[in-house]
Amino acid sequence: MWNTHLLLPLGMHIPDGFLSVPVALAWWVLTVIAVGFALRQVGTTLHEHQIPLMGVMAAFIFAAQMLNFPVMGGTSGHLLGGALAALLLGPWAAVLVMACVVALQALLFQDGGLLALGANIFNMGVATALIGAYVGAPLLRMLGGQRWGLVLVGFATAWLSVMVAATLTSMQLVLSGLSAAVVFPAMLFVHLFIGVGEGLITVAALGFVLTTRPDLVTTMASYLNPATMQRPLDRRSVLGVTGGGLMFAVGAALLSPLASGDPDGLERVAEDQGFLDRALDPFFNLLPDYTLPGLDGPISTIIAGLIGLFIVFGLVYGLTLLLRGRNQERV
């Protein structure tokens, strides 16, 4: 069975064994459809200035997800990031960013099961991105793009995205045989508080980006200052954005040893409600629990985090370049 002392999941990463095979496969189908549609949409609508921002966003979200924060009663949470990515990039670019982050976490760090990967991508990536884009963005438009509205909308959208992800996870667990009367109240209660942390981090990140480089965003910049969408990025700006963004992501990775060691929301619920032992060992171990095998201490976590950070940056950056190139060939 799953060794909870060595392989702790982060956030709402569902390990194999929690979901029945039919439920896991059903969400694989939904996720493949959603990611396939996202690839098509991004391939036809991708702006040049989104290419570095998508890679940097993936790196930042990956690093930020390593920073668990305490919330209540010996439980921790961390940024999901889907709503943040959607508000900055639009829905389908955000879906691709989140899919790459969650998939890398499962494949390289065994954070979440392979059979459950479809559900994890859908819950933490697809659903949160759609909430950010189709709830948050219209609300900001209704408020006239006011900066005070950014605080309200950013927080509310991020909080709601966590609750939606928790609800989906609960529903999948219930469909897999667990009691709805047990799972739903426990999951939703603890994620009420985790969502507050998500909201605060999202507001801080949005405020920083829109204060320093509003020309880099699509959805929100068009509300705050439509003229910024007409200014193309020169080579120096692209390099500055990429380098500066990676520095922030690296900084988050360097702080990862300071993350709370308390169990996250899903693990806490599974432990308290008696279904933690359903989790299965991963099929293989590469960098389990975000550490390098044979290397102990904080340096192991930092190096493993930096490896993942640069891999996901390169993956998303390369994917966006490929999609952009194919779109230009069609034109």
Side-chain angles (χ1 to χ4, degrees), residues 25 72 173 295:
L25 292 180
M72 55 165 288
L173 293 172
L295 183 63

Side-chain angles (χ1 to χ4, degrees), residues 59-323:
F60 173 76
I61 289 174
F62 172 85
Q65 287 196 2
M66 296 180 67
L67 295 172
N68 280 40
F69 50 83
V71 287
M72 55 165 288
T75 306
S76 69
H78 72 75
L79 178 75
L80 292 182
L84 171 64
L87 287 169
L88 292 175
L89 301 170
W92 303 112
V95 166
L96 291 188
V97 165
M98 295 301 299
C100 289
V101 170
V102 177
L104 180 73
Q105 290 168 336
L107 295 171
L108 189 59
F109 300 97
Q110 289 68 65
D111 191 4
L114 296 182
L115 185 59
L117 180 57
N120 284 328
I121 291 175
F122 193 92
N123 298 348
M124 293 185 289
V126 177
T128 58
L130 295 183
I131 290 293
Y134 294 113
V135 175
L139 284 175
L140 188 62
R141 184 186 297 112
M142 288 173 57
L143 296 174
Q146 299 296 319
R147 288 185 177 271
W148 62 265
L150 171 62
V151 175
L152 177 62
V153 172
F155 182 90
T157 302
W159 180 86
L160 179 61
S161 73
V162 170
M163 298 307 295
V164 168
T167 300
L168 284 169
T169 302
S170 300
M171 181 175 65
Q172 292 154 1
L173 293 172
V174 170
L175 291 174
S176 298
L178 295 176
S179 169
V182 169
V183 172
F184 273 100
M187 281 289 289
L188 296 183
F189 177 75
V190 71
H191 285 92
L192 284 171
F193 301 94
I194 293 175
V196 172
E198 178 91 9
L200 294 174
I201 296 171
T202 298
V203 167
L206 290 173
F208 175 79
V209 172
L210 289 174
T211 298
T212 57
R213 293 302 300 266
D215 54 318
L216 298 181
V217 299
T218 57
T219 305
M220 299 193 74
S222 65
Y223 302 147
L224 296 174
N225 185 3
T228 62
M229 297 300 297
Q230 308 303 320
R231 298 199 302 266
L233 293 179
D234 56 28
R235 184 175 180 83
R236 173 179 288 185
S237 295
V238 170
L239 293 175
V241 169
T242 305
L246 285 176
M247 286 180 61
F248 274 95
V250 168
L254 294 176
L255 294 174
S256 59
L258 302 178
S260 172
D262 292 332
D264 64 81
L266 175 59
E267 185 188 357
R268 170 59 70 190
V269 170
E271 183 177 351
D272 291 346
Q273 304 303 326
F275 62 91
L276 186 61
D277 60 355
R278 291 177 53 151
L280 303 175
D281 286 326
F283 295 107
F284 57 89
N285 288 315
L286 295 179
L287 300 176
D289 202 22
Y290 297 81
T291 58
L292 292 178
L295 183 63
D296 298 324
I299 189 65
S300 180
T301 301
I302 291 173
I303 294 175
L306 291 174
I307 290 172
L309 182 157
F310 285 107
I311 289 177
V312 77
F313 170 79
L315 175 63
V316 174
Y317 197 98
L319 177 61
T320 52
L321 284 176
L322 177 63
L323 291 173

